[in-house]
Amino acid sequence: MTKDNIVLVVCILVPLCWVAAGVLTRVDESVPVIEDPVLHFDRSGAAAEAREFSAAYPDRTLGSIEARQSTGFLKDRLEQLGYQISYTHFDATVAGKRQVGRNVLAFRQGPRPEILAVAARYDNMTTAGGGGSDNAAGIGVLLELARVFSEAPARHSLLVVALDGNSWGALGARDLAENHAGRRQLAAVISLDRIDAAAASLSLATAGQFGGGAPAWLRSLARRSAAAAGIPFAEPGGFREHMQRALPFTRTDQGPFLRQGIPAVNLGAAAGSSGGDEAADGLDAVGVVAEIMLRSMDGLQRMPGEQEGGFRLHRAKVLSPAVVKVLHYLAFAPFAALLLFHWRRFADDLDLGRLKREFMTLGATLLPFLLAYYFIRLMDRIRLLPRYSLYPPSASDAAFAGLQWKVLAGLAGVVIVAAVVLYFIVKTLSRRLPRPDFNVSKLICLVLSGLVALAALMQNGYWAVSFLLLPALVAGLAGAGGSAGARAANRLLLVAAMGVPCALFVWHGANPHAGMTWLWWELIALAGGMYSMAGYFLAGAAVALGIRYVTMQSYAAGR
């Protein structure tokens, strides 16, 4: 069997493994949904609470006077229902200014030590008008659920939380998940956000912030609770969920809990027409399903042990994290086969001189990306970039600082000057080295691509498969063009292979609404720590290797 046939067979077997994993996976129904539930959620009451809250406190941005005043409103409402009220506070940075966020916690002790929690953010963005969708609707549902469960006996303790700081990276949820004294007793958290006006169907958010995902049992419970209530239900799965896990910058408050291994989901109402505070159908869908889920979990003698969530492949089929990890590694099997064949054929042509030449050239390609990173960090250190605790705001938000062309011009200048200087340095130092050989250069780059892919798989397999797999396969398959036209075609193919993950990043990125300020927004996010240093360096190394694959098309093949 030829090399091409073996690679083709491996390419066919990999997706078959995904299909087989889905077929063999069982649907998790470990938490039974209560039958014929007698529900007490009143959508008119929730809508009234939402209207009153948003009308009285339209500007609830983190650190504002109205945001602090609104917590008094929430405290009074929850205290009247018999809950024990407490506050937690956390520091935040918004546009370079220190702010203090506040969470409102209402607690009701139950016979069992496990705590069921329901949460909704009360803060909004500076462009919001305080309508039901942002997020007074969630607060309305939260207060109505608090009323419902204040009147019902419960086996488990209940924690009702109004969260602050969602707009800047779910800061209130992060503080609660990381620092609250009772976080280890949290058995499950239901977040209430993205409740669109006049929507009658339910949407589920399941991704963790910077890692993690909702466990299969909690997803299944949400799905079956919606079915029991006769409410249309949508949840991420397949390609969409894969991309969400590849870029895990969650905008809803389940994210930080999942990162800490606490089971959580976000219930929202799927997109509908805008209707201000007339979100009665959306309120009803979210409130009813949340009540069924809480009553079902409260009826358990023992909570499920699964905390880490897998990947929803199709319908109710959720693959376990261990299976997904194996499949992610298997996805690179065709690339590994290409690397092995190339190594067996051309490893004997490796010599110290050609190794020196390739590493110098690759280093010169990578160094401008590293200098760009440290330039951005320097601009942040000397306060030329607006600072935020974690996420920058939407580019349409009043708190978003406008473009600073001096910084962008400086960054472009650093990259261009470094690239030019390094080009001439490498050109001078490589004069006495052996002439470059396409196959040797490709072999070295394939080995380094394999190491980058391995490091990326260890960091985030979803990211590795989504952004590195296609360019690696195309680079492994692209040979030395025998003519100018063939070399040009290879270059176009390689550029297109790199362009696909770039387009996916822009399309599924953390802030797709930034428009022309997208690059500026990404720089602020990188400086603020939303993107990790390891992630940036891996991405930079992948791009540098992609550039090398394109430029080495001008080399002649030794044999």
Side-chain angles (χ1 to χ4, degrees):
M1 185 178 289
T2 65
K3 177 195 76 172
D4 292 342
N5 288 336
I6 291 175
V7 172
L8 179 61
V9 170
V10 174
C11 288
I12 294 173
L13 288 176
V14 169
L16 288 178
C17 289
W18 283 82
V19 173
V23 170
L24 297 175
T25 299
R26 294 182 178 181
V27 178
D28 191 329
E29 296 185 354
S30 56
V31 180
V33 175
I34 55 174
E35 298 180 1
D36 300 323
V38 179
L39 301 177
H40 300 279
F41 183 85
D42 180 7
R43 71 177 187 177
S44 61
E49 293 282 15
R51 283 194 296 269
E52 182 177 356
F53 184 66
S54 62
Y57 310 102
D59 177 16
R60 304 182 301 279
T61 55
L62 175 64
S64 68
I65 294 175
E66 283 192 14
R68 189 52 55 90
Q69 291 173 338
S70 71
T71 62
F73 172 94
L74 296 169
K75 172 183 177 295
D76 291 343
R77 282 287 195 272
L78 293 165
E79 207 166 40
Q80 291 168 9
L81 295 172
Y83 289 87
Q84 303 171 21
I85 309 300
S86 61
Y87 296 122
T88 60
H89 298 87
F90 57 90
D91 291 334
T93 302
V94 178
K97 297 180 180 180
R98 179 180 177 273
Q99 305 287 1
V100 177
R102 171 185 280 183
N103 294 331
V104 183
L105 282 65
F107 184 71
R108 183 188 179 196
Q109 182 68 51
R112 297 185 179 276
E114 298 97 339
I115 300 172
L116 301 177
V118 58
R121 67 177 179 92
Y122 68 86
D123 70 308
N124 61 7
M125 301 291 281
T126 53
T127 53
S133 296
D134 194 47
N135 177 39
I139 290 296
V141 175
L142 183 77
L143 293 176
E144 175 59 17
L145 287 171
R147 181 197 67 78
V148 167
F149 285 94
S150 70
E151 301 171 351
R155 293 183 178 181
H156 296 82
S157 298
L158 180 65
L159 181 65
V160 178
V161 190
L163 296 167
D164 197 4
N166 169 274
S167 302
W168 317 104
L171 299 180
R174 280 168 64 89
D175 180 70
L176 190 69
E178 295 175 2
N179 302 315
H180 182 52
R183 65 188 182 279
R184 298 188 185 279
Q185 282 72 50
L186 287 174
V189 180
I190 299 176
S191 168
L192 311 169
D193 195 5
R194 301 295 175 94
I195 303 175
D196 290 336
S201 61
L202 195 73
S203 62
L204 196 69
T206 61
Q209 188 180 59
F210 309 136
W217 69 265
L218 190 56
R219 297 180 67 146
S220 175
L221 176 61
R223 186 185 312 113
R224 289 179 290 116
S225 297
I231 296 173
F233 183 84
E235 63 177 314
F239 175 76
R240 180 185 168 199
E241 179 164 355
H242 203 279
M243 290 306 304
Q244 287 180 356
R245 303 286 285 271
L247 297 171
F249 309 119
T250 56
R251 288 290 182 178
T252 45
D253 285 317
Q254 86 288 342
F257 295 104
L258 292 171
R259 177 61 174 171
Q260 297 300 318
I262 300 169
V265 292
N266 182 81
L267 297 180
S273 60
S274 61
D277 293 318
E278 300 302 322
D281 288 338
L283 291 169
D284 198 38
V286 172
V288 166
V289 172
E291 183 180 353
I292 295 175
M293 291 179 67
L294 289 169
R295 291 187 184 278
S296 299
M297 288 187 289
D298 188 56
L300 294 175
Q301 292 290 337
R302 183 178 180 181
M303 297 299 297
E306 180 194 2
Q307 294 180 323
E308 185 179 0
F311 167 66
R312 178 174 173 260
L313 183 63
H314 179 60
R315 295 184 180 176
K317 298 287 187 177
V318 178
L319 305 182
S320 72
V323 171
V324 174
K325 180 172 288 190
V326 171
L327 291 173
H328 280 157
Y329 278 89
L330 280 177
F332 281 88
F335 172 78
L338 289 168
L339 172 58
L340 178 61
F341 281 117
H342 207 75
W343 177 271
R344 293 181 62 182
R345 187 173 180 185
F346 300 109
D348 292 340
D349 295 339
L350 285 171
D351 58 60
L352 185 60
R354 284 171 172 162
L355 280 170
K356 286 182 178 179
R357 174 185 284 275
E358 186 57 40
F359 276 105
M360 277 196 308
T361 306
L362 185 59
T365 308
L366 179 60
L367 190 56
F369 292 97
L370 306 185
L371 291 175
Y373 176 82
Y374 287 109
F375 177 84
I376 294 168
R377 299 298 298 175
L378 175 63
M379 294 300 100
D380 178 63
R381 183 66 62 89
I382 62 178
R383 304 299 178 92
L384 289 181
L385 290 176
R387 284 190 172 185
Y388 300 92
S389 291
L390 192 60
Y391 290 9
S394 169
S396 61
D397 191 85
F400 184 77
L403 283 167
Q404 295 187 20
W405 291 105
K406 293 185 295 183
V407 176
L408 290 175
L411 177 61
V414 166
V415 172
I416 293 171
V417 170
V420 172
V421 170
L422 288 167
Y423 170 79
F424 285 106
I425 290 175
V426 171
K427 188 174 182 180
T428 301
L429 294 177
S430 61
R431 285 176 179 172
R432 297 184 179 181
L433 295 175
R435 293 179 62 84
D437 177 79
F438 173 83
N439 291 317
V440 172
S441 294
K442 178 180 175 180
L443 176 59
I444 296 170
C445 287
L446 285 176
V447 171
L448 293 175
S449 293
L451 293 175
V452 170
L454 180 61
L457 284 166
M458 296 172 66
Q459 289 281 326
N460 183 342
Y462 295 94
W463 185 87
V465 171
S466 298
F467 295 100
L468 300 184
L469 181 57
L470 177 62
L473 287 176
V474 172
L477 291 169
S483 64
R487 289 191 292 272
N490 284 343
R491 291 190 184 103
L492 287 174
L493 184 62
L494 289 164
V495 170
M498 291 188 292
V500 170
C502 290
L504 288 175
F505 177 76
V506 175
W507 186 23
H508 290 272
N511 187 31
H513 306 296
M516 297 299 293
T517 61
W518 176 80
L519 177 60
W520 179 245
W521 192 94
E522 296 292 345
L523 294 183
I524 297 171
L526 179 62
M530 192 176 115
Y531 297 109
S532 69
M533 181 189 299
Y536 176 86
F537 285 169
L538 283 173
V543 173
L545 284 165
I547 293 172
R548 286 297 300 132
Y549 286 121
V550 173
T551 56
M552 73 175 62
Q553 281 293 320
S554 59
Y555 298 167
R559 59 184 174 95

